[in-house]
């Protein structure tokens, strides 16, 4: 299973009437991720990076350039040749990875973040990661709501100025495997030929 979403494979999701391809990040995606900054509001950037920043930080781009798809994994969502979403999991200790998700404003609240996280979880479990951790600002209601939709029992614990969520993968993946082919909101998963 180590080749989930390898360059030969991708997952296409249909969100409303738009097709989005979810695939493994590779270094050729860096310019597209840098360009995402033009489609992110100051609020979206603040909620993801916990600081006022005019663009996706160069430190994240450098970290992504080192992605090995084991200790650091990432997937991207592409629509009309534009990167519209990014999800990253960085192993922090045995069995645990810290996740971060970024979706351009026009694609938020449409299920894309949820699909990116589920895809990362499907890739993480075979690599021995059984739990994600996510840090969320207390005022980031959309992220908190998304996490509790994926993990109904998730409760964030206060950790300095944010909420820390511990998110076991097994319940998420059990639920996603039992989900119908067409989920609420018009989302449909299928394998796309490349």
């Amino acid at each position: 299973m180590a080749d989930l979403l390898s360059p030969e494979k991708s997952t296409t999701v249909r969100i409303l009437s738009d097709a989005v391809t979810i695939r493994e990040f590779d270094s050729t995606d860096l310019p597209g991720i840098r360009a995402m900054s033009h489609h992110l509001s100051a609020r979206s950037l603040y909620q993801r990076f916990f600081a006022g920043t005019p663009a996706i930080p160069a430190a994240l781009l450098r970290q992504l350039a080192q992605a090995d798809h084991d200790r650091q994994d990432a997937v991207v969502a592409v629509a009309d040749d534009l990167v519209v979403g990014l999800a990253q999991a960085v192993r922090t200790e045995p069995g645990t990875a810290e996740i971060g998700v970024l979706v351009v404003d026009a694609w938020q609240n449409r299920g894309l973040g949820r699909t990116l996280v589920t895809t990362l979880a499907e890739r993480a479990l075979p690599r021995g990661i059984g739990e994600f951790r996510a840090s969320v600002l207390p005022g980031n209601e959309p992220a908190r709501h998304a996490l509790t939709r994926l993990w109904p029992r998730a409760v964030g614990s206060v950790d300095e100025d944010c909420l820390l969520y511990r998110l076991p993968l097994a319940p998420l993946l059990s639920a996603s495997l039992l989900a119908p082919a067409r989920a609420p909101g018009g989302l449909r998963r299928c394998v796309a030929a490349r």
Side-chain angles (χ1 to χ4, degrees):
M1 285 199 175
D3 69 344
L4 289 173
L5 295 186
S6 68
E8 298 82 38
K9 297 180 183 179
S10 63
T11 299
T12 297
V13 294
R14 187 158 300 283
I15 298 178
L16 302 178
S17 63
D18 300 308
V20 180
T21 300
I22 308 290
R23 62 175 170 73
E24 181 176 276
F25 162 85
D26 73 41
S27 60
T28 63
D29 293 314
L30 286 170
I33 291 169
R34 189 176 294 112
M36 284 177 67
S37 294
H38 303 294
H39 305 283
L40 291 161
S41 65
R43 180 179 180 181
S44 292
L45 287 163
Y46 179 78
Q47 288 179 332
R48 169 60 180 90
F49 299 109
F50 299 9
T53 178
I56 294 171
L60 175 64
L61 298 172
R62 286 190 302 272
Q63 185 181 45
L64 286 168
Q66 302 300 315
D68 61 4
H69 300 291
D70 181 40
R71 192 178 66 74
Q72 296 183 56
D73 194 19
V75 293
V76 293
V78 180
D80 297 323
D81 297 323
L82 299 173
V83 177
V84 295
L86 165 70
Q88 179 186 25
V90 177
R91 193 184 304 253
T92 55
E93 58 189 69
T96 303
E98 179 81 21
I99 61 168
V101 179
L102 187 60
V103 175
V104 298
D105 288 34
W107 283 89
Q108 293 176 8
N109 301 309
R110 297 173 70 184
L112 185 55
R114 181 173 53 244
T115 303
L116 287 164
V117 169
T118 302
T119 302
L120 269 182
E122 290 168 349
R123 294 167 57 86
L125 202 58
R127 294 189 345 263
I129 296 172
E131 179 181 84
F132 282 162
R133 292 196 183 150
S135 297
V136 178
L137 290 171
N140 189 345
E141 291 299 324
R144 293 175 63 193
H145 178 71
L147 287 174
T148 55
R149 285 193 70 195
L150 286 167
W151 286 274
R153 294 185 178 141
V155 176
S157 60
V158 177
D159 181 39
E160 295 183 24
D161 60 349
C162 65
L163 299 173
L164 177 62
Y165 288 85
R166 297 175 70 113
L167 309 163
L169 300 188
L172 169 68
L173 294 178
S174 295
S176 69
L177 293 175
L178 298 174
R182 185 174 297 277
L187 190 87
R188 185 170 52 89
R189 294 182 66 127
C190 60
V191 176
R194 280 193 71 169

